[in-house]
Amino acid sequence: MANFAAPPVEVPPITIGIERPSEDFIRNSTRRVELSVSGGKRLERLDKLHEAMKISLGGLYPCPEVVQAILAPVAGETKRVLDIGCGSRIWSVEMAREFPHVEVLGLDVPQAIEHWKGEYPKNARFEATNFQFAMPEKYLNRFDIIHLRFIASAFSQFQKSLEEIQDCLKPGGLLILVDSTGLIMGEDKVSVPRMRSSSNPNGSQLQRLFYEIRNANASLGLDEFAMRATLEEGLWDNTQLDECGAAEVLVPIGGWVQAPDPLVERNLRKAGRLMGQNLEHIQHSHHHMLQNLGFPTGLSREWKKIAAAEINDPNRKTLLDVRVLWGRRRAGDDLPAPPLPIPSMGSEEGDRTPRPPAPAQQNRFTSPFYRVCRTHREWQRISEVRQNANGWIPEPTPFVFRRHH
């Protein structure tokens, strides 16, 4: 796997005395930082992120034929969806509206409750729980779909948490994992711009910032790199899951996209503006975290200013690398996932009259930056092509690990 980063940069050593944070801090990780820094504005950011992803995916979820088959009404069965790390609740609410016969449960950390406002459909409900350490036993084998979006780096033991989450699926249930590798990509969808540094002053400040954030999270005991490895490898080697797939979703940063099709251009520019606003908020909140870890305040302010200018520079033409993974729970050890359920026409108990799945979302927008892979080999080729195009570049020592003795 290639390391895409800038060459080492000369900086003065920084004195950082870090004690291991409390389990409560790890439990809530960067989500807690955002809530404490910006309160309700964080949820506004998440709404913008939601809209950017919905445009980029062409809807609320990937593999629509599988999702709609799993959630199609079946007489005598209750279909359930779990949204872990539901944030502003917008994905949960929209899923509840699209599938009014489905019970939708949204979970997030207790600090999010005070910012949950507004009405929501009767088939949706929300709970506060510290899901990062253990899933409640009452959720085992209960859900038809489990959705996690941009929360994977909140876990201190990512693989262990993922196994417990998968145990909450019914056999044949679908896991959907959406997150970012944190890489900033070039317009060609292959090149990875180098980080800004003293020897590369025109490099990407966002690239450098995400690099520092990943390492800061790791220093706090969060399993950042296991999460990222899973995004890069996919779920094909996961022994609990079958019928796996993955998608590369490159989301524009800023409204720079030009396209022959006016609809494509309009949608991608909207998604890019929303993603740019989202990244401005992220870099603001995470600079507070870096400063708490000893990052110099003056340098932090300088980086924020440069990163904001980069986000709003139409000549940059960059994309955020987002990965979408999915897989269905097997029927048992070494067994395939059960066949997709057959919907039924009637409402009477035992009525198994075949009924076609719900039609695909009308006019699903297909982004030219969206690529689906059905096999592990296809997915591995994405990293190989990038490695061949960019080569291996040594990474600088992260600020959070520098010590002055």
Side-chain angles (χ1 to χ4, degrees), residues 10-58:
E10 295 82 21
V11 295
I14 300 172
T15 302
I16 309 177
I18 305 177
E19 296 181 358
R20 176 166 175 82
S22 68
E23 294 298 332
D24 183 58
F25 188 94
I26 294 175
R27 180 180 293 116
N28 298 309
S29 64
T30 55
R31 301 172 70 76
R32 175 173 181 166
V33 171
E34 282 199 88
L35 281 166
S36 63
V37 168
S38 54
K41 288 186 178 180
R42 166 185 172 270
L43 302 189
E44 179 183 343
R45 172 187 81 76
L46 293 178
D47 285 350
K48 292 178 180 179
L49 177 60
H50 169 81
E51 290 300 324
M53 288 307 303
K54 192 163 70 167
I55 292 170
S56 300
L57 274 174

Side-chain angles (χ1 to χ4, degrees), residues 66-77:
V66 177
V67 170
Q68 292 163 7
I70 288 175
L71 294 183
V74 175
E77 293 186 20

Side-chain angles (χ1 to χ4, degrees), residues 173-230:
L174 182 70
L175 175 72
I176 301 174
L177 173 63
V178 183
D179 222 300
S180 174
T181 63
L183 282 180
I184 306 298
M185 306 295 299
E187 182 184 11
D188 61 3
K189 302 182 281 188
V190 175
S191 62
V192 180
R194 293 191 178 190
M195 288 187 273
R196 179 178 177 272
S197 68
S198 58
S199 60
N200 187 31
N202 295 320
S204 171
Q205 185 64 65
L206 280 177
Q207 197 83 279
R208 180 63 182 273
L209 176 62
F210 282 125
Y211 171 73
E212 296 292 348
I213 289 172
R214 287 194 296 275
N215 284 283
N217 282 340
S219 77
L220 292 172
L222 302 175
D223 210 359
E224 177 82 26
F225 296 107
M227 176 276 290
R228 193 178 182 204
T230 297

Side-chain angles (χ1 to χ4, degrees), residues 85-106:
C86 61
S88 67
R89 308 183 299 180
I90 189 169
W91 188 89
S92 301
V93 167
E94 292 190 13
M95 283 293 287
R97 288 173 178 159
E98 182 171 340
F99 299 96
H101 61 285
V102 172
E103 293 181 3
V104 179
L105 171 63

